[in-house]
């Protein structure tokens, strides 16, 4: 068994699955939205979205033409026995999937805008590696579309302003973003830490299953209140008005400096695509979504 | 109202904000770089190589694959039109386009341009690529491939592309700015 070959296959499978099969929790949330949408335009849009999700899954088509920036999350157990060159393996997998799935070649040099042709190069795919307890390796793939990513922001707040200012800023960002991030969105929020850590937490929050509240009761309440208030703005599906602007809000937090209160907001479009796999030390694996 | 629109599209005043439209005929995909290139050519007194008369412009970067000598659209859907907003005035002036298809719309500041030039903006649901790509009958031609596959101009024949919603009409109604105004009013009201 060559672990890097196994991981290559797993990565190609995760990419292919993520861009064609929407996770069940996201589809369920969209269906609940459809069942309770009040705007006629909103209903028409949600109906098209649900038909699209079904068509993509059944016919093996791409859910969205924007197959995103390739982002990997690795959680390597401290007792996992193998040493893996993730950059090498994931680069090869993204290049292969670009041809096979296919993915749209999205990655360009940031200034010359020259397209690399296979979604790799200049630090792509994006890879976040962290350590976990235990003997397993968990890999997640998130194809992150630009429409929603472009609406993301970082705010270094005054600590005394507290939770109320967090809510005010998130709500005004949602209204400003309007239809651009393809609502109904999922909103990932990182509170605390440092500027870089807050942004990463906001993105990682998007990996969590929809409909499940944070285990911390304070954050659970913040998630609930934000979700309700965002859905009272009336921005609606695709910004054309309606009840459903947001499918769910996910909050992560970390302690921060007594003089700081970082707030990071990462928008995710309704096509909240992700796929994960857990790989055993012997190379056997199972794909889980989310 | 629901409309079945066929190209060439030369007159759009019957379309009102909120109407639902399905489009059959030709569309030209165009996004950031092609829009800029068309304007630069026009400012230099040059015509673009493609004829846009009566052809709706679609803010879209498709996923295309070359199979032997023909191009096949694997996936396509609208991209965020707001990126083209700084170019909108020049684009409408130089292209003569009557119908723009995209997502996310333009701000209230641009509504008057749609009125002046008698142009309509239709919104497609974002990300519904699997159903939209099925509406493509064939790729007729492609221009400016050197801009990269998503940025090139693809002339596509489509059959009932939709559902799209008339989001900015040529009578001064912009659904996005109305929805936003109402949302801001609610935000101020609850605080």
């Amino acid at each position: 068994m060559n672990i890097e070959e196994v991981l290559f296959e797993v990565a190609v499978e995760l990419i292919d699955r993520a861009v064609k099969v929407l996770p069940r929790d996201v589809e369920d949330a969209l269906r609940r939205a459809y069942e309770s949408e009040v705007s006629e335009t909103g209903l028409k849009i949600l109906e098209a979205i649900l038909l699209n999700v079904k068509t993509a899954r059944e016919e093996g088509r791409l859910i969205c033409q924007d197959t995103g920036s390739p982002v990997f999350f690795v959680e390597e157990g401290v007792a996992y026995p193998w040493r893996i060159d993730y950059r090498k393996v994931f680069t090869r997998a993204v290049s292969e999937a670009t041809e096979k799935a296919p993915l749209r070649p999205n990655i360009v040099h940031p200034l010359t805008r020259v397209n690399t042709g296979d979604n790799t190069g200049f630090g792509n795919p994006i890879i976040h590696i962290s350590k976990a307890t235990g003997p397993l390796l968990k890999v997640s793939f998130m194809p992150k579309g630009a429409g929603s990513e472009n609406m993301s922001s970082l705010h270094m707040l005054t600590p005394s302003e507290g939770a109320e200012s967090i809510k005010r800023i998130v709500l005004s960002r949602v209204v400003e973003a309007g239809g651009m991030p393809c609502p109904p969105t999922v909103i990932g929020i990182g509170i605390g830490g440092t500027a870089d850590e807050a942004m990463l937490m906001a993105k990682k929050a998007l990996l969590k299953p929809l409909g499940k509240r944070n285990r911390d009761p304070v954050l659970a309440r913040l998630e609930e209140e934000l979700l309700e208030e965002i859905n009272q703005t009336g921005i609606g599906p695709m910004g054309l008005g309606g009840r459903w602007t947001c499918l769910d809000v996910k909050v992560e937090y970390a302690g921060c400096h007594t003089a700081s209160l970082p707030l990071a907001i990462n928008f995710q479009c309704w096509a909240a695509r992700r796929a994960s796999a857990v790989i055993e030390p012997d190379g056997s694996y199972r794909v889980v979504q989310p | 109202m629901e409309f079945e629109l066929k190209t060439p599209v030369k007159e759009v005043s019957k379309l009102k904000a909120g109407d639902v439209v399905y489009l059959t005929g030709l569309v030209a995909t165009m996004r950031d770089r092609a829009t800029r290139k068309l304007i630069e050519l026009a400012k230099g007194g040059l015509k673009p190589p493609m004829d846009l008369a009566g052809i709706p412009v679609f803010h879209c970067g498709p996923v295309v694959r070359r199979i032997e000598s023909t191009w096949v659209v694997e996936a396509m859907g609208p991209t965020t039109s707001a990126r083209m907003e700084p170019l909108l005035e020049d684009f409408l002036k130089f292209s003569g386009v009557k119908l723009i298809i995209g997502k996310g719309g333009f701000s209230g500041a641009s509504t008057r341009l749609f009125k002046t030039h008698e142009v309509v903006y239709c919104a497609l649901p974002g990300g519904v690529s699997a159903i939209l790509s099925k509406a493509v009958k064939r790729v007729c031609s492609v221009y400016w491939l050197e801009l990269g596959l998503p940025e090139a101009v693809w002339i596509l024949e489509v059959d009932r592309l939709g559902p799209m919603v008339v989001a900015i009409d040529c009578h001064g109604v912009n659904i996005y700015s109305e929805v936003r105004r109402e949302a801001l009013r609610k935000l101020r009201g609850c605080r």
Side-chain angles (χ1 to χ4, degrees):
Chain A
M1 195 266 306
N2 178 333
I3 192 69
E4 289 193 344
E5 280 312 307
V6 170
L7 188 61
F8 168 76
E9 270 170 44
V10 170
V12 173
E13 188 178 333
L14 288 182
I15 297 169
D16 194 73
R17 189 178 169 105
V19 296
K20 294 172 182 171
V21 183
L22 197 66
R24 177 59 64 183
D25 59 327
V26 183
E27 191 174 348
D28 287 348
L30 285 164
R31 190 166 297 110
R32 279 196 298 275
Y34 175 70
E35 282 161 3
S36 56
E37 180 54 63
V38 288
S39 139
E40 215 173 289
T41 304
L43 276 170
K44 195 93 191 168
I45 290 167
L46 289 167
E47 186 185 10
I49 285 174
L50 285 168
L51 174 64
N52 182 73
V53 169
K54 181 170 179 280
T55 306
R57 184 182 56 237
E58 288 176 358
E59 299 180 16
R61 289 170 181 264
L62 298 178
I63 297 164
C64 175
Q65 82 288 345
D66 184 359
T67 48
S69 288
V71 186
F72 284 95
F73 299 87
V74 175
E75 280 175 55
E76 194 186 71
V78 285
Y80 199 66
W82 304 101
R83 293 172 73 159
I84 299 168
D85 184 344
Y86 294 107
R87 163 93 20 224
K88 188 180 83 188
V89 173
F90 292 154
T91 299
R92 197 154 66 87
V94 166
S95 184
E96 170 93 357
T98 298
E99 179 68 29
K100 267 193 172 169
L103 308 180
R104 190 173 69 181
N106 282 335
I107 301 303
V108 301
H109 182 283
L111 295 176
T112 67
R113 312 306 289 178
V114 172
N115 199 309
T116 65
D118 69 351
N119 288 307
T120 73
F122 312 124
N124 281 272
I126 310 285
I127 305 170
H128 298 294
I129 300 172
S130 56
K131 284 284 184 180
T133 53
L136 300 174
L137 176 66
K138 186 176 179 189
V139 175
S140 300
F141 177 72
M142 179 192 286
K144 191 63 175 63
S148 58
E149 190 72 0
N150 286 347
M151 297 299 114
S152 304
S153 57
L154 173 71
H155 310 263
M156 302 304 280
L157 306 180
T158 306
S160 60
E161 289 177 41
E164 274 311 299
S165 72
I166 290 174
K167 279 165 71 177
R168 179 171 45 81
I169 288 169
V170 172
L171 281 164
S172 80
R173 289 296 298 161
V174 167
V175 172
E176 240 170 90
M180 288 188 277
C182 287
T185 54
V186 180
I187 297 178
I189 294 176
I191 299 172
T194 46
D196 52 333
E197 184 66 15
M199 281 310 322
L200 186 56
M201 286 191 293
K203 176 145 274 111
K204 281 188 175 172
L206 297 174
L207 288 171
K208 294 169 126 189
L210 304 191
K212 277 193 187 144
R213 289 277 67 88
N214 202 299
R215 273 185 295 185
D216 182 316
V218 176
L219 296 182
R221 215 177 92 198
L222 181 63
E223 289 178 346
E224 267 167 23
E225 288 175 0
L226 271 171
L227 181 61
E228 190 178 328
E229 288 185 35
I230 289 169
N231 282 332
Q232 276 170 9
T233 60
I235 294 291
M238 294 311 298
L240 292 166
R243 179 173 168 188
W244 287 95
T245 306
C246 182
L247 296 174
D248 209 352
V249 177
K250 311 302 281 184
V251 179
E252 291 272 349
Y253 80 107
C256 59
H257 192 288
T258 181
S260 287
L261 177 52
L263 165 67
I265 309 170
N266 199 198
F267 281 78
Q268 171 64 287
C269 57
W270 66 257
R273 293 155 289 174
R274 48 175 145 72
S276 307
V278 176
I279 306 156
E280 305 277 345
D282 68 359
S284 62
Y285 66 91
R286 58 181 196 280
V287 172
V288 284
Q289 234 186 349
Chain B
M1 290 274 286
E2 200 162 305
F3 288 96
E4 294 285 340
L5 220 55
K6 288 195 166 56
T7 63
V9 177
K10 291 190 167 148
E11 218 283 315
V12 289
S13 63
K14 68 174 176 191
L15 300 175
K16 304 270 183 344
D19 287 345
V20 172
V21 174
Y22 290 86
L23 179 79
T24 298
L26 300 179
V27 291
T29 72
M30 205 174 269
R31 44 191 283 160
D32 313 55
R33 297 186 68 191
T35 306
R36 195 171 288 278
K37 184 162 176 164
L38 182 136
I39 292 167
E40 277 165 12
L41 281 178
K43 283 186 171 167
L46 297 170
K47 282 201 156 143
M50 69 293 285
D51 180 13
L52 292 175
I55 299 183
V57 157
F58 183 12
H59 292 157
C60 162
V63 181
V64 281
R65 203 194 315 237
R66 190 165 191 131
I67 299 175
E68 285 162 13
S69 62
T70 53
W71 290 100
V72 176
V73 173
E74 295 266 353
M76 69 160 199
T79 193
T80 304
S81 299
R83 291 199 313 276
M84 274 58 82
E85 185 148 14
L87 306 170
L88 183 64
E89 184 155 18
D90 280 344
F91 178 73
L92 293 181
K93 189 164 80 188
F94 293 126
S95 68
V97 160
K98 289 284 141 192
L99 180 65
I100 296 178
I101 302 163
K103 76 173 176 82
F106 296 101
S107 72
S110 293
T111 313
R112 64 173 177 88
L113 294 174
F114 286 86
K115 202 172 171 181
T116 319
H117 294 273
E118 292 191 329
V119 178
V120 155
Y121 178 86
C122 281
L124 273 171
V128 296
S129 157
I131 55 174
L132 296 182
S133 52
K134 287 175 89 171
V136 180
K137 288 170 82 178
R138 67 189 181 101
V139 176
C140 301
S141 47
V142 58
Y143 299 90
W144 297 344
L145 258 183
E146 67 276 15
L147 300 181
L149 295 183
E151 300 283 343
V153 176
W154 299 88
I155 310 291
L156 309 174
E157 188 184 341
V158 295
D159 182 33
R160 298 197 82 238
L161 181 68
M164 41 188 155
V165 178
V166 177
I168 308 174
D169 66 21
C170 62
H171 307 287
V173 184
N174 179 338
I175 296 185
Y176 298 101
S177 55
E178 284 185 4
V179 165
R180 178 170 302 191
R181 196 181 312 127
E182 185 61 15
L184 285 172
R185 197 186 60 76
K186 280 181 193 154
L187 282 195
R188 275 193 294 268
C190 69
R191 263 158 230 286

